[in-house]
Structure formats: structure tokens, C-alpha cells
Amino acid sequence: MTNDLDARRRRIRTAFQAFVSACTVLLVIVPIAMVELEGALPANMYAYLTGAAAAVVAGATLVTRVMALPAVNAFIDRFVPWLSASSSEGSDA
């Protein structure tokens, strides 16, 4: 039960972080850059940028969910130990 709760919290945290990042880039910075380069931003472009932000959030949440699977953790522990969550802090030196 605790592992499920922790995994859910990790997914929620990742989704929130991706949401904030995607909104910052796609809904603030990109329109400002486009206005500066072209002089005007079509109204439908905001819908496209919002869809792209949603896709980024969904992708980040999916990757977080997959990375929490026991098979993926076992693969990381075996083949990519420097990414392992269970490795000790000073073992790579």
C-alpha cells in the first residue's frame, strides 16, 4: 500500500513539474518569441501550444509510471547502476 501511495505521489509531482515547465515554455516564451519574430500571433496558435503542453505533461507522467515498474528498476539496477535509486551515494567514486 505504501509503495502504491509513493508511486502515485511521484507521478503527481512529475506531472505538476512538467505542467509548470511546459506552460512556461509553450504558453509564455514561445508566443513572445513568435510575436517578436513575426509581429503577430494567430489566435489558433494558443490552442496548438496548449495541446503541446498537455502532450508534454502526459508524456512525462507516462515515463514516470514506467520508470516505477519493478522490471524497469531491476534493469536499471543491473545495467545502469549509476541511475539506480538503491545505490549508495559515494559508491561511484
Side-chain angles (χ1 to χ4, degrees):
M1 181 70 173
T2 304
N3 288 336
D4 291 338
L5 184 60
D6 289 340
R8 185 175 306 128
R9 286 180 183 159
R10 284 192 298 270
R11 286 194 305 272
I12 291 170
R13 263 195 321 266
T14 300
F16 179 73
Q17 292 166 350
F19 173 76
V20 170
S21 299
C23 286
T24 301
V25 171
L26 295 174
L27 300 177
V28 176
I29 296 171
V30 170
I32 291 171
M34 290 181 73
V35 166
E36 291 298 321
L37 294 175
E38 297 178 10
L41 186 64
N44 65 345
M45 186 57 72
Y46 286 102
Y48 296 138
L49 293 174
T50 302
V56 168
V57 172
T61 304
L62 177 66
V63 168
T64 301
R65 176 65 182 129
V66 169
M67 293 297 286
L69 293 174
V72 174
N73 284 326
F75 177 86
I76 289 172
D77 288 343
R78 182 171 179 192
F79 295 107
V80 196
W82 53 274
L83 285 179
S84 177
S86 61
S87 66
S88 62
E89 291 283 325
S91 65
D92 60 337

